Amino acid sequence: MTAGGRPAGQAEGEKGGVRTALAGLTTRGRSFLAAGVAAAICAYVLGQSDLLRVGLLLAVLPLVCATVLFRTRYRVAGSRRLSPARVPAGSEARVHLRMDNVSRLPTGLLMLQDRVPYVLGPRPRFVLDRVEAGGRREVSYRVRSDLRGRYPLGPLQLRLTDPFGMCELTRSFSTYDTLTVIPRVEALPPVRLTGEAKGYGDGRNRSLALAGEDDVIPRGYRHGDDLRRVHWRSTARYGELMVRREEQPQRARCTVLLDTRSAGFRGAGPDSAFEWAVSGTASTLVHMLERGFSVRLLTDTGASVPGEGSDGFAGASQESADAAGLMMDTLAVVDHSDGAGLSRAYDVLRGGNKGLLVAFLGDLDEEQAAVVAKMRRRSGSAVAFVLDSTAWAQGQGAPPSGAGESCVQMLREAGWAALSVPPGAGFADLWRQADHARSAVGPAPAAGAGNLWSMGGLS
């Protein structure tokens, strides 16, 4: 306990509050304080009592304003709403701010500002006039970024000032929101790029709606089963009603491989080769989900989207929008990996899930081109977009390097529909070219099988 009878912690808190209040003095307030002190000293030296009164008035006014402002307790609630919370790169999002005065007293002049990363634009500031008791004020501002990523917005700050402009104090809220800038998605034309044919048969993997994977023989009758599915031979054998399982059309599958090796790409920025590959990956994923494919995203590290099933996310369902959102969130923050090869991705593809394989690849040497060539055996159809990062770094019109063309030719000989991507190329046109190139490529022999390859058309 101190001599004044207060706890030491409380006394230190008040001292800290006084320092905070004095630190909030504006240039005008500091000038008044300095002028008052100077006038008081001159009055003491010259013996002028009137000048002393003026000096005391000038010195006390900013101190009184700082004390009153510091002890003012406004009860306000702030909220933020993003529209939309997920926006493509290069597009604008609007941020709506709302302030509610929940106290019984009106507020004074308020300055509202929100913390925004510099890549989204300048920090927005708003001046709010007197807010009546129980009143609200709504303001909004726009943000835009050409770089994908996840950007925090907030916390929201209130700057309080007195009527004379002698002192300013800042109060901050604790919450913040996140704006996700996803890659640009380009609408793709419908083509006949498919993985597995839709149909029936015991030789293909099927999606079972009413039976499990282990239900390979007729099962016992369950309440609600259609009597037309009763298997009479098994019923006579087991002495109870047995029903047949129903075979459902299989779902076409697609795996999109994104090469993120730092050694495979040069340059940075929204017009770099890597950003084109990420944007092409996003466009392909959204297009395939809309076409009803089971889509899987794979990188050179062997990683996929968290929460993704073994066959990927299913399209043409209620969860397709959520699946697209998860994939876009993953691509919004994807960056270069430290890996030097594509062997991990090949190991994942070797586990099965045959179907359409679409790959976006950077610079390849002969060793990595050989690894990619082997991936063709693990897919029903394979399309590769190979980017020459050296030509991309030089800009449009740069000639392709000889190493890139030789790798593209190696992939074509292995059964890939491989295309070299020139700098600044439009992905929709390359998508059509990939369909024509795929039609001209014959099926590659599968491991342990002949030239049995199922392809189906999709209008």
Side-chain angles (χ1 to χ4, degrees), residues 259-283:
D259 182 8
T260 63
R261 297 172 299 124
S262 58
F265 295 92
R266 298 181 183 179
D271 296 328
S272 62
F274 182 68
E275 293 302 322
W276 191 97
V278 175
S279 177
T281 300
S283 302

CSV table of all heavy atoms in Angstrom, one decimal, residues 259-283:
chain,number,residue,atom,x,y,z
A,259,ASP,N,2.6,-28.0,-60.7
A,259,ASP,CA,4.1,-28.0,-60.4
A,259,ASP,C,4.4,-26.7,-59.7
A,259,ASP,O,4.2,-25.6,-60.3
A,259,ASP,CB,4.8,-28.1,-61.8
A,259,ASP,CG,6.3,-28.2,-61.5
A,259,ASP,OD1,6.8,-28.3,-60.4
A,259,ASP,OD2,7.1,-28.1,-62.5
A,260,THR,N,4.9,-26.8,-58.5
A,260,THR,CA,5.2,-25.6,-57.7
A,260,THR,C,6.7,-25.5,-57.4
A,260,THR,O,7.1,-24.8,-56.5
A,260,THR,CB,4.5,-25.6,-56.4
A,260,THR,OG1,4.9,-26.8,-55.6
A,260,THR,CG2,3.0,-25.7,-56.6
A,261,ARG,N,7.5,-26.3,-58.1
A,261,ARG,CA,9.0,-26.3,-57.8
A,261,ARG,C,9.6,-24.9,-58.1
A,261,ARG,O,9.3,-24.3,-59.1
A,261,ARG,CB,9.7,-27.3,-58.6
A,261,ARG,CG,9.3,-28.8,-58.4
A,261,ARG,CD,9.9,-29.7,-59.4
A,261,ARG,NE,9.5,-29.4,-60.8
A,261,ARG,CZ,10.3,-29.1,-61.8
A,261,ARG,NH1,11.6,-29.1,-61.6
A,261,ARG,NH2,9.8,-28.8,-63.0
A,262,SER,N,10.3,-24.4,-57.1
A,262,SER,CA,11.0,-23.1,-57.3
A,262,SER,C,12.0,-23.2,-58.4
A,262,SER,O,12.3,-22.2,-59.1
A,262,SER,CB,11.7,-22.7,-56.0
A,262,SER,OG,12.6,-23.7,-55.6
A,263,ALA,N,12.6,-24.4,-58.7
A,263,ALA,CA,13.5,-24.5,-59.8
A,263,ALA,C,12.8,-24.6,-61.1
A,263,ALA,O,13.5,-24.4,-62.2
A,263,ALA,CB,14.3,-25.8,-59.6
A,264,GLY,N,11.5,-24.7,-61.2
A,264,GLY,CA,10.8,-24.8,-62.4
A,264,GLY,C,10.2,-23.5,-62.9
A,264,GLY,O,9.7,-23.5,-64.0
A,265,PHE,N,10.3,-22.5,-62.1
A,265,PHE,CA,9.7,-21.2,-62.5
A,265,PHE,C,10.7,-20.1,-62.1
A,265,PHE,O,11.4,-20.1,-61.1
A,265,PHE,CB,8.4,-21.0,-61.8
A,265,PHE,CG,7.3,-21.9,-62.2
A,265,PHE,CD1,7.1,-23.1,-61.4
A,265,PHE,CD2,6.5,-21.7,-63.3
A,265,PHE,CE1,6.2,-24.0,-61.8
A,265,PHE,CE2,5.5,-22.6,-63.6
A,265,PHE,CZ,5.4,-23.8,-62.9
A,266,ARG,N,10.7,-19.1,-63.0
A,266,ARG,CA,11.5,-17.9,-62.8
A,266,ARG,C,10.5,-16.7,-62.8
A,266,ARG,O,9.5,-16.7,-63.5
A,266,ARG,CB,12.6,-17.7,-63.8
A,266,ARG,CG,13.6,-18.8,-63.9
A,266,ARG,CD,14.7,-18.5,-64.9
A,266,ARG,NE,15.6,-19.6,-65.0
A,266,ARG,CZ,16.6,-19.7,-65.9
A,266,ARG,NH1,16.8,-18.6,-66.7
A,266,ARG,NH2,17.5,-20.7,-65.9
A,267,GLY,N,11.0,-15.6,-62.2
A,267,GLY,CA,10.2,-14.4,-62.2
A,267,GLY,C,9.0,-14.4,-61.1
A,267,GLY,O,8.7,-15.5,-60.6
A,268,ALA,N,8.5,-13.3,-60.9
A,268,ALA,CA,7.4,-13.2,-59.9
A,268,ALA,C,6.4,-12.1,-60.4
A,268,ALA,O,6.7,-11.4,-61.4
A,268,ALA,CB,7.9,-12.8,-58.5
A,269,GLY,N,5.3,-12.0,-59.7
A,269,GLY,CA,4.3,-11.0,-60.1
A,269,GLY,C,3.1,-11.6,-60.8
A,269,GLY,O,3.1,-12.8,-61.1
A,270,PRO,N,2.1,-10.7,-61.0
A,270,PRO,CA,0.8,-11.3,-61.5
A,270,PRO,C,0.9,-11.8,-63.0
A,270,PRO,O,0.1,-12.5,-63.4
A,270,PRO,CB,-0.1,-10.1,-61.5
A,270,PRO,CG,0.7,-8.9,-61.4
A,270,PRO,CD,2.0,-9.3,-60.7
A,271,ASP,N,2.0,-11.4,-63.7
A,271,ASP,CA,2.1,-11.8,-65.1
A,271,ASP,C,3.2,-12.9,-65.3
A,271,ASP,O,3.7,-13.1,-66.4
A,271,ASP,CB,2.5,-10.6,-66.0
A,271,ASP,CG,1.4,-9.6,-66.0
A,271,ASP,OD1,0.2,-10.0,-65.9
A,271,ASP,OD2,1.7,-8.4,-66.1
A,272,SER,N,3.6,-13.5,-64.2
A,272,SER,CA,4.7,-14.5,-64.3
A,272,SER,C,4.1,-15.8,-64.7
A,272,SER,O,2.9,-16.1,-64.7
A,272,SER,CB,5.4,-14.6,-62.9
A,272,SER,OG,4.4,-15.1,-61.9
A,273,ALA,N,5.0,-16.7,-65.0
A,273,ALA,CA,4.6,-18.1,-65.5
A,273,ALA,C,3.9,-18.8,-64.4
A,273,ALA,O,3.0,-19.6,-64.6
A,273,ALA,CB,5.8,-18.8,-66.0
A,274,PHE,N,4.4,-18.7,-63.2
A,274,PHE,CA,3.8,-19.5,-62.1
A,274,PHE,C,2.4,-19.0,-61.8
A,274,PHE,O,1.5,-19.8,-61.5
A,274,PHE,CB,4.7,-19.3,-60.8
A,274,PHE,CG,4.2,-20.1,-59.6
A,274,PHE,CD1,4.2,-21.4,-59.6
A,274,PHE,CD2,3.6,-19.4,-58.5
A,274,PHE,CE1,3.8,-22.2,-58.5
A,274,PHE,CE2,3.2,-20.1,-57.4
A,274,PHE,CZ,3.2,-21.5,-57.4
A,275,GLU,N,2.1,-17.7,-61.9
A,275,GLU,CA,0.8,-17.2,-61.6
A,275,GLU,C,-0.1,-17.7,-62.8
A,275,GLU,O,-1.3,-18.0,-62.5
A,275,GLU,CB,0.8,-15.7,-61.5
A,275,GLU,CG,1.5,-15.2,-60.3
A,275,GLU,CD,0.9,-15.7,-59.0
A,275,GLU,OE1,-0.4,-15.8,-59.0
A,275,GLU,OE2,1.6,-16.0,-58.1
A,276,TRP,N,0.4,-17.8,-64.0
A,276,TRP,CA,-0.5,-18.3,-65.1
A,276,TRP,C,-0.8,-19.8,-64.8
A,276,TRP,O,-1.9,-20.2,-65.0
A,276,TRP,CB,0.3,-18.2,-66.4
A,276,TRP,CG,-0.5,-18.5,-67.6
A,276,TRP,CD1,-1.2,-17.6,-68.4
A,276,TRP,CD2,-0.9,-19.8,-68.1
A,276,TRP,NE1,-1.9,-18.2,-69.4
A,276,TRP,CE2,-1.7,-19.6,-69.3
A,276,TRP,CE3,-0.6,-21.1,-67.8
A,276,TRP,CZ2,-2.2,-20.6,-70.0
A,276,TRP,CZ3,-1.1,-22.1,-68.5
A,276,TRP,CH2,-1.9,-21.9,-69.7
A,277,ALA,N,0.2,-20.6,-64.3
A,277,ALA,CA,-0.1,-22.0,-64.0
A,277,ALA,C,-1.1,-22.1,-62.9
A,277,ALA,O,-2.0,-23.0,-62.9
A,277,ALA,CB,1.2,-22.7,-63.6
A,278,VAL,N,-1.0,-21.3,-61.9
A,278,VAL,CA,-2.0,-21.3,-60.8
A,278,VAL,C,-3.4,-20.9,-61.3
A,278,VAL,O,-4.4,-21.6,-60.9
A,278,VAL,CB,-1.6,-20.4,-59.6
A,278,VAL,CG1,-2.6,-20.4,-58.5
A,278,VAL,CG2,-0.3,-20.9,-59.0
A,279,SER,N,-3.5,-19.9,-62.1
A,279,SER,CA,-4.8,-19.5,-62.6
A,279,SER,C,-5.3,-20.6,-63.6
A,279,SER,O,-6.6,-20.9,-63.5
A,279,SER,CB,-4.6,-18.2,-63.4
A,279,SER,OG,-5.8,-17.8,-64.0
A,280,GLY,N,-4.5,-21.2,-64.4
A,280,GLY,CA,-5.0,-22.3,-65.2
A,280,GLY,C,-5.5,-23.5,-64.4
A,280,GLY,O,-6.5,-24.1,-64.7
A,281,THR,N,-4.8,-23.8,-63.3
A,281,THR,CA,-5.2,-24.9,-62.4
A,281,THR,C,-6.6,-24.6,-61.8
A,281,THR,O,-7.5,-25.4,-61.8
A,281,THR,CB,-4.2,-25.1,-61.3
A,281,THR,OG1,-2.9,-25.4,-61.8
A,281,THR,CG2,-4.6,-26.1,-60.3
A,282,ALA,N,-6.8,-23.3,-61.3
A,282,ALA,CA,-8.1,-22.9,-60.8
A,282,ALA,C,-9.2,-23.0,-61.8
A,282,ALA,O,-10.3,-23.5,-61.5
A,282,ALA,CB,-8.0,-21.5,-60.2
A,283,SER,N,-8.9,-22.6,-63.0
A,283,SER,CA,-9.9,-22.6,-64.1
A,283,SER,C,-10.3,-24.1,-64.4
A,283,SER,O,-11.5,-24.4,-64.6
A,283,SER,CB,-9.4,-21.9,-65.3
A,283,SER,OG,-9.1,-20.6,-65.1
